[in-house]
Each structure stands twice: as structure tokens, then as C-alpha cells.
Amino acid sequence: MTLHDAYDPDNIFAKILAGEMPSIKVMEDDIALAFMDVFPQAEGHTLVIPKAVQARNFLDFPTEKVGAYMERVQLVARAVEKAMTPDGLVVTQFNGAPAGQTVFHLHFHIIPRWTGQNLRGHAGGQMADMGELESIAQKIRPFVA
Ligand code: AMP
């Protein structure tokens, strides 16, 4: 059902893009915005969302925009890896509520992983401390510049 619903222009990421909701940004250009996940599953959990498009998920995202957007996803993934020096890095994306999607504007998750450290729960739990998220963002930003 949620896989093919109409795009809701009031979704939280649309509000972030419109500047109506705050976010801790690490990268922004005309193609994409990357910002810290406020319910991080691991330290450095970053989201990359496409701009200037109304796409709920990867399936309805215009094909001609995929290349430029995925370049930004890779740019931010590399920056997160350099800044956080994890043992591994998850780059993932969910399509539709049954697949785990909770915000219906396309986004990729970039989640550092460390050996022996479990991931925190997805899209829930305790909201991160904004000061801590800002310090992590400060580590990541130099690597996307
Ligand atoms: P998904 O469940 O794949 O749609 O991912 C949505 C992600 O957005 C989750 O990891 C949430 O923790 C995160 N999230 C929700 N609201 C915000 C927000 N206002 N700022 C940053 N991240 C958010």
C-alpha cells in the first residue's frame, strides 16, 4: 500500500528541505542534502536525500536522476568512512512500510559498523543529543568539501 501512495509534500524530509524543520547538515548541493539521523542506529548514521523531486522511494525516483544522486550517496559514504573510521559501513534504503520505511521521501542510510557492536533499533528509541550530533557532523564535513 505505502509503496505506491501519492507523495506527501508535508513529510518530514520535505519540511527539512523547505527549511521548515531543523537538521544537522553535512553536505548540500542542488542534487542532494545529507544530514545526521536524529535516531542514529550507530554513531555517524547519516541520511542522503534527493532534492527538487517528489519521490517516495527508489522505485518512483526518475531514472535520469539516479546517477547524480548516487554520486552524492557515495561521496557522503566515503566521507563518513573517513571521519568515523568504522570497520564496516552499511549503505541501505527501504521501500514501503512493510520493508521498514517510516519517512516517505527517498533516502539512503549510511551507517558505520564496528566489530562486536550491535546496531541500535531502526527509527526509534531515544533521540540523540544535538550537541553530540553536531560534533560528529563537524568530523564528516571536511571530507565532503
Ligand atoms: P526509514 O525508516 O528508512 O524511512 O528512515 C527514516 C529515518 O529518518 C530513520 O532512521 C529516522 O531515525 C530518521 N528520522 C526521522 N525523523 C528525522 C528527523 N527529523 N531528522 C533526522 N532524521 C530523522
Side-chain angles (χ1 to χ4, degrees), residues 106-124:
L106 173 61
H107 51 282
F108 273 75
H109 296 259
I110 296 167
I111 310 174
R113 297 296 314 263
W114 286 270
T115 305
Q117 188 178 110
N118 291 330
L119 277 189
R120 295 195 281 270
H122 172 71

Side-chain angles (χ1 to χ4, degrees), residues 11-46:
N11 75 76
I12 203 153
F13 293 172
K15 289 187 172 177
I16 286 174
L17 283 170
E20 294 165 7
M21 284 277 300
S23 67
I24 298 180
K25 298 178 185 181
V26 298
M27 191 283 299
E28 182 168 22
D29 65 8
D30 54 337
I31 303 292
L33 169 68
F35 55 96
M36 305 312 298
D37 195 305
V38 292
F39 298 101
Q41 290 188 256
E43 198 172 77
H45 185 166
T46 305

